[in-house]
Amino acid sequence: MQTNVIAQEDLAWQEQALCAQTGAGFFFPEPGSSVREAKQICRMCEIRAECLEYALTHDEQFGVWGGLSEKERLRLQRLRRAEAA
């Protein structure tokens, strides 16, 4: 039971996210499509850092999270691992 409370608490930031008020199509575009519009929305979002940390922690493979594309998040994860080693 406690796990559900923690999970809900961890995701409370999503209610405030600008992407929650926008269509998911911006943040999960077709392969090869531009992510420019999603990144513009992310730049204005007050909880961008929380979103990015969630994506990195949960190894989100697809979409724009915290203003970064899949490839950008992968680079950031590799950089973090290299710094931790």
Side-chain angles (χ1 to χ4, degrees):
M1 186 98 166
Q2 189 175 9
T3 305
N4 290 339
V5 173
I6 292 170
Q8 289 174 352
E9 214 172 274
D10 289 345
L11 300 178
W13 59 268
Q14 289 183 347
E15 294 174 11
Q16 300 171 2
L18 289 179
C19 61
Q21 303 165 25
T22 313
F26 287 114
F27 301 93
F28 296 94
E30 293 294 321
S33 297
S34 175
V35 296
R36 187 178 323 139
E37 292 173 340
K39 288 182 173 188
Q40 288 174 339
I41 293 169
C42 288
R43 277 194 291 274
M44 296 183 289
C45 187
E46 293 180 14
I47 57 167
R48 179 178 171 192
E50 290 92 334
C51 179
L52 178 57
E53 275 310 311
Y54 176 86
L56 294 172
T57 302
H58 293 88
D59 198 28
E60 289 291 343
Q61 301 286 317
F62 304 101
V64 175
W65 290 80
L68 298 183
S69 68
E70 298 98 337
K71 289 179 182 179
E72 292 166 329
R73 286 193 312 277
L74 184 58
R75 270 185 254 140
L76 181 57
Q77 286 176 323
R78 288 180 181 158
L79 184 74
R80 284 183 172 186
R81 287 183 196 131
E83 289 175 352

